Amino acid sequence: MKKEIWIKGLSVLIVLIVLAVISGIGTGIPIKRGLSIEEARERLENSNTYICEQIATTGPGWLIYKEEEEKQGVILEGKLPIDEINKNSFFYSAHNKFLIIGEKIGVRIVDEDGNIENYYGDEVEAEVNWENIERYECYDIFLVEDWDIITPIQRGSIFGMVASDEYLSIFDYI
């Protein structure tokens, strides 16, 4: 008899959880609304605003661009989206786009031996002899002041099947 009541109680609990998730209660409290692509395009008119995407490479971890420009691999520093949101929900496979506000503050040079040197501000002009340097790769370094996520928001976890693609919720941050 006790086992039967326990099974019925567990069944009711599972049904309630499924109904809560389907109805949207389980998707979390909205924290940050995503920008539509139209809103992002309007903001791109500012000179220090860019679209960026995280990539999985042996080089820079981000691509940055304006809509009409070619995508360029960059190093991002400062207030990074991936540092603030839950990394378990947002894998590389999620392919989200972010609108960042920031500026170029330096360059990273990787020489043919794999040595990495970062040069910032006045160092770039004063210390880098661009004609004589044997560089293998060179990337701009950007300082991110602020960011927004562009909709539709993708998640690389099971939570993505029930979460809204219009906003980041409390579960995206914990």
Side-chain angles (χ1 to χ4, degrees):
M1 180 74 172
K2 285 185 179 182
K3 185 177 181 181
E4 192 174 304
I5 292 173
W6 189 84
I7 291 174
K8 286 181 182 180
L10 185 61
S11 298
V12 168
L13 182 64
I14 289 171
V15 168
L16 289 174
I17 290 171
V18 168
L19 289 174
V21 168
I22 291 171
S23 68
I25 295 171
T27 60
I29 300 167
I31 299 292
K32 186 171 188 147
R33 184 181 72 81
L35 297 176
S36 69
I37 194 65
E38 291 79 22
E39 291 173 303
R41 284 184 183 128
E42 288 175 18
R43 292 190 186 182
L44 281 173
E45 294 173 8
N46 296 332
S47 62
N48 64 343
T49 305
Y50 304 89
I51 294 177
C52 72
E53 304 171 27
Q54 193 172 23
I55 56 171
T57 69
T58 57
W62 295 90
L63 292 175
I64 193 170
Y65 57 97
K66 298 263 187 182
E67 268 199 316
E68 66 280 354
E69 295 177 359
E70 184 178 331
K71 294 179 181 181
Q72 169 187 351
V74 296
I75 308 300
L76 295 184
E77 296 181 353
K79 186 178 178 183
L80 304 181
I82 207 68
D83 289 344
E84 294 186 21
I85 57 179
N86 183 350
K87 292 173 186 66
N88 293 325
S89 291
F90 291 86
F91 297 112
Y92 292 113
S93 62
H95 300 296
N96 284 298
K97 294 181 181 179
F98 298 91
L99 189 78
I100 62 163
I101 299 170
E103 62 183 333
K104 179 181 171 182
I105 59 168
V107 295
R108 172 174 288 177
I109 297 174
V110 182
D111 68 18
E112 292 178 352
D113 295 326
N115 300 314
I116 298 172
E117 290 289 335
N118 291 340
Y119 298 94
Y120 295 94
D122 295 337
E123 291 179 336
V124 175
E125 298 302 321
E127 294 187 27
V128 179
N129 185 345
W130 292 102
E131 295 169 2
N132 294 335
I133 193 163
E134 293 181 21
R135 64 177 186 238
Y136 177 66
E137 296 175 340
C138 181
Y139 307 107
D140 290 338
I141 301 172
F142 275 76
L143 179 64
V144 178
E145 298 167 14
D146 203 7
W147 63 271
D148 281 300
I149 194 165
I150 299 173
T151 60
I153 299 170
Q154 299 177 22
R155 293 168 178 88
S157 68
I158 191 76
F159 180 62
M161 294 182 354
V162 294
S164 171
D165 65 353
E166 299 294 318
Y167 61 83
L168 295 173
S169 76
I170 193 164
F171 294 114
D172 294 320
Y173 286 88
I174 57 173

